[in-house]
Amino acid sequence: MSISASTDAAVAAANIESRRRWQISYRRRRYLLVAPPMLVMIAFVVFGIFADVIAPGDPGQTHLLSRLEAPVFSGGTSEFPLGTDHVGRDIWTRVVHGARVSLIVVAIVVPGAALFGTVIGMFAGWRGGIVGQLLMRYVDVQLALPAILFAVLLGAVLGASLRNVILILLVWTWTVYARLIRAEVLSLKEREFVLASLAAGGSNWWIMRKQLLPNVFNTIVVIMTLEIPIVIVAEASLSFLGVGAPVEQATWGRMITEARNYLTHAWWVMWMPGLALMLVALSGNLVGDWLRDLLDPRLRNLG
Amino acid sequence: MQFANLLVIRLIQTILVIWVVVSIVFVISRLIGNPETSLMPWDATNEDYERIREKLGLNDPMIVQYGRFLGDALQGDLGFSYHRTGPALDIVADKVLGTVKLTAAGLVVALGLGVPLGVFAALRRGSPLDWLARLVAVFGQATPSFWLGLMLIFFLATRVSWFPTAGAEGFRSLVLPAIALGLLSAAGFMRLTRSGMIDVMNTDFIRTARAKGLNERTVILRHGLRHALIPVMTILGIELGRLIAGSVIIEVVFSWPGIGRLMIESILQSDYPTVQAGLVVIAASITLGNLIVDMTYRVIDPRIRMAAL
């Protein structure tokens, strides 16, 4: 009896021990796995900031005698490491300068939208009232009007500019935060711990700060990471449709759209900006995933 | 509050939403844009411009134009297209089916792939299946739909001719656009389902459900998934909007005949009546979708009281 009990205890202890060890190795594995995408994101930021140093040439410079030249690893010359496009522009230079445009857009749009959306969402969920109602109807309106159509309409009417693109994306992406945060707060405010705080005389501000915000923080981070690739892709999509940044600016979206006619006989013209776009968006996702696991409090308790 | 009352209120709100959308489009297109310049040949004289402005009623004060526009809109008259023949609404209506087909196919891809993958990934966390699902999800999330479309065309329509590169003839021409459209949303559903399932499977009520001897299948489907689907339901309305919005770019990539491609063309031609009609139709379908989603997650999560609109 006592022997079997102690064996059970020993087995349980061993289980816990092996589980803990497995979890530590899982964490360590995550660090290793997140390193490459982290490096890509750092490279993206560095390329964006130091575009002029890394690729000093003019991204708009044409070389009419060297049109559609293959990249260096596919039989081309080192003069154009990633080849040239249909008017002989250096694809390497254009891809690097395209990173700058994407970086500027993300750096302004994602934090700005998160801040604004969270404030509105928490207010609408907690206080509601007529103002909260109106705000949420406004969110509905924004969601009802596809951003891309609105952006194309505005772009066609106003003319293409980077400032307009940033403004449109900022105004349009905050609604996602507002809607999800509000939904979470609506559910949270019916929970016992919030009711208890209210009963104990907790002020609105205190409850929002100490109980609601920590509970929705995870959601904010997850949405922000989801939004980084979405914003990059949205900017590229607008450029692809021809209403993003102005023509003289090298953007990945515009490069892809211009390359469409050369799909069959000069694959690199489309693939270079496309791969850059995909790599950065992919890495943003992986880094965000890792960050989510790191910040999730319940997951932290497990580890 | 009664469910029916709530529904009526939300329907009225939906109409208000559409009114605001129409007004926003009116402001952008009429206040900032000049529809007449796109209508006239390059050698048109000032008198010609004056005539066309008079004919289209563009010389009246804005408020009069707006009043006339709203009055007509109430009667289902959204004006005649500047560039095509016939009422703008009819022109848009011709294209509705194309967009509905594409969006529905995209939604089938998104939910059919996203939710099951998310559940499996959460239950077998850290397993090869989890990694595979997350790989698919991460790629889906990371790949812009137009880029995905172009890659699909590159590999499956030009390298091997399994599917047509463009157009809308038969089921085969729907496959590539539906995947290109739906994969992004599938990835979103998968992530939300997975993180929701992981969160919910750690909660006390799941422990209780297991403790009272329910079989694992019931625990997962009735207790776990039902709860994990709340964030999915919340985002479903947004995703539906995204799918409809995303269909615009997919229609351009695949030359698919739908509202999106019509509107992009109309916007670039400053054909504002067609743009307005298109936006009204799209806005109406998305807000109705949101309404249905909102009502559904009230049924799923009773903690959201009926009174809390």
Side-chain angles (χ1 to χ4, degrees):
Chain A
M1 180 79 191
S2 71
I3 290 170
S4 114
S6 71
T7 333
D8 279 355
V11 167
N15 273 341
I16 289 167
E17 186 52 39
S18 81
R19 222 176 131 186
R20 187 177 297 146
R21 205 177 299 141
W22 186 83
Q23 266 151 4
I24 291 166
S25 79
Y26 173 78
R27 279 202 135 187
R28 211 169 273 160
R29 216 162 56 210
R30 288 304 306 264
Y31 278 113
L32 287 178
L33 276 168
V34 83
M38 195 74 103
L39 283 177
V40 170
M41 290 318 278
I42 292 169
F44 167 63
V45 173
V46 170
F47 275 45
I49 294 172
F50 299 107
D52 294 328
V53 184
I54 292 164
D58 173 10
Q61 177 68 48
T62 58
H63 305 271
L64 290 175
L65 293 176
S66 325
R67 281 173 291 189
L68 297 178
E69 288 222 355
V72 66
F73 50 82
S74 183
T77 61
S78 59
E79 195 191 349
F80 306 110
L82 295 184
T84 60
D85 68 5
H86 61 290
V87 287
R89 287 173 298 197
D90 180 33
I91 292 176
W92 162 250
T93 311
R94 290 176 71 72
V95 168
V96 172
H97 282 261
R100 168 172 284 183
V101 178
S102 298
L103 181 66
I104 292 170
V105 171
V106 167
I108 299 173
V109 170
V110 172
L115 185 68
F116 193 61
T118 304
V119 170
I120 300 290
M122 286 201 28
F123 172 80
W126 184 249
R127 293 301 289 271
I130 192 91
V131 180
Q133 268 299 301
L134 285 175
L135 282 170
M136 289 330 279
R137 285 321 103 198
Y138 183 72
V139 168
D140 275 356
V141 173
Q142 287 221 342
L143 294 167
L145 188 65
I148 206 149
L149 287 178
F150 180 81
V152 173
L153 178 59
L154 208 61
V157 167
L158 285 178
S161 95
L162 196 57
R163 207 192 54 198
N164 289 348
V165 170
I166 289 172
L167 219 79
I168 289 164
L169 290 177
L170 196 59
V171 164
W172 245 264
T173 49
W174 71 269
T175 51
V176 179
Y177 301 88
R179 197 147 216 259
L180 282 175
I181 299 300
R182 172 181 168 269
E184 287 222 343
V185 170
L186 271 186
S187 182
L188 281 172
K189 77 193 249 193
E190 305 291 328
R191 298 273 185 94
E192 285 77 6
F193 68 94
V194 174
L195 294 177
S197 296
L198 271 177
S203 71
N204 284 326
W205 173 238
W206 190 88
I207 293 171
M208 277 200 201
R209 207 159 37 94
K210 292 283 182 184
Q211 299 201 313
L212 299 184
L213 197 59
N215 272 296
V216 297
F217 189 76
N218 186 19
T219 310
I220 298 171
V221 172
V222 173
I223 310 170
M224 274 178 84
T225 54
L226 293 175
E227 286 292 312
I228 291 174
I230 286 171
V231 167
I232 292 176
V233 166
E235 183 275 317
S237 304
L238 289 178
S239 299
F240 176 78
L241 287 175
V243 288
V247 187
E248 63 273 14
Q249 216 144 17
T251 64
W252 294 341
R254 183 173 295 280
M255 290 174 75
I256 293 169
T257 209
E258 285 173 355
R260 280 176 70 189
N261 295 336
Y262 311 97
L263 201 71
T264 44
H265 54 282
W267 54 271
W268 56 89
V269 188
M270 184 186 91
W271 280 90
M272 293 309 163
L275 283 177
L277 179 61
M278 224 171 96
L279 198 63
V280 167
L282 181 68
S283 301
N285 266 300
L286 290 173
V287 172
D289 229 24
W290 168 75
L291 207 66
R292 190 253 178 217
D293 282 359
L294 201 71
L295 292 179
D296 189 287
R298 264 172 278 197
L299 213 86
R300 205 186 294 155
N301 288 343
L302 267 180
Chain B
M1 197 186 297
Q2 295 276 303
F3 196 76
N5 289 351
L6 197 64
L7 199 67
V8 171
I9 291 171
R10 289 301 305 267
L11 271 174
I12 293 167
Q13 284 170 340
T14 304
I15 292 166
L16 286 176
V17 165
I18 293 166
W19 165 66
V20 175
V21 168
V22 170
S23 303
I24 290 174
V25 177
F26 179 86
V27 168
I28 293 173
S29 56
R30 301 284 175 92
L31 279 187
I32 309 175
N34 297 308
E36 72 276 13
T37 46
S38 67
L39 286 173
M40 303 301 279
W42 62 273
D43 57 350
T45 61
N46 279 342
E47 288 79 55
D48 293 333
Y49 271 110
E50 202 44 52
R51 267 214 312 281
I52 192 98
R53 290 187 67 85
E54 198 60 50
K55 188 159 177 255
L56 294 174
L58 295 174
N59 279 337
D60 298 334
M62 267 306 152
I63 189 79
V64 175
Q65 286 189 47
Y66 180 62
R68 188 168 52 217
F69 172 72
L70 274 188
D72 288 348
L74 267 179
Q75 297 164 39
D77 175 9
L78 289 169
F80 281 79
S81 165
Y82 291 165
H83 278 265
R84 293 152 205 268
T85 42
L89 202 57
D90 290 2
I91 291 170
V92 172
D94 271 354
K95 305 282 184 186
V96 166
L97 196 65
T99 299
V100 168
K101 255 194 218 163
L102 183 57
T103 310
L107 191 65
V108 167
V109 170
L111 281 174
L113 209 63
V115 173
L117 265 181
V119 173
F120 286 127
L123 295 178
R124 303 261 180 281
R125 203 148 138 246
S127 71
L129 188 77
D130 183 21
W131 283 104
L132 185 74
R134 290 165 76 188
L135 204 69
V136 169
V138 159
F139 266 100
Q141 197 104 46
T143 313
S145 59
F146 70 91
W147 172 246
L148 184 63
L150 287 172
M151 281 200 301
L152 289 172
I153 291 174
F154 181 80
F155 286 119
L156 299 179
T158 67
R159 290 286 144 123
V160 291
S161 316
W162 292 355
F163 302 100
T165 55
E169 272 132 37
F171 178 74
R172 276 206 327 172
S173 59
L174 185 60
V175 175
L176 295 186
I179 296 172
L181 180 62
L183 205 66
L184 173 74
S185 298
F189 288 140
M190 187 259 151
R191 285 177 81 126
L192 273 178
T193 310
R194 181 178 177 276
S195 72
M197 280 302 276
I198 288 174
D199 282 351
V200 82
M201 294 313 272
N202 285 335
T203 55
D204 293 335
F205 73 87
I206 290 294
R207 207 166 302 135
T208 308
R210 280 190 178 133
K212 73 182 181 187
L214 290 180
N215 65 19
E216 194 60 18
R217 193 190 158 86
T218 315
V219 172
I220 291 164
L221 292 182
R222 290 286 304 275
H223 295 254
L225 185 60
R226 206 174 122 119
H227 202 85
L229 278 182
I230 295 166
V232 175
M233 290 302 296
T234 320
I235 209 167
L236 187 63
I238 294 171
E239 288 297 336
L240 190 64
R242 281 227 177 102
L243 283 173
I244 295 175
S247 72
V248 173
I249 204 159
I250 294 299
E251 284 171 13
V252 172
V253 171
F254 287 91
S255 300
W256 183 269
I259 303 177
R261 200 159 66 101
L262 171 74
M263 284 182 69
I264 293 282
E265 283 168 10
S266 303
I267 285 169
L268 297 177
Q269 294 166 335
S270 303
D271 185 356
Y272 295 127
T274 311
V275 175
Q276 278 158 354
L279 270 170
V280 169
V281 170
I282 286 180
S285 40
I286 294 177
T287 36
L288 278 175
N290 263 330
L291 175 72
I292 293 165
V293 168
D294 225 32
M295 291 293 146
T296 315
Y297 79 69
R298 255 161 235 286
V299 173
I300 293 183
D301 189 359
R303 279 188 310 226
I304 303 164
R305 281 187 313 196
M306 282 297 172
L309 272 168

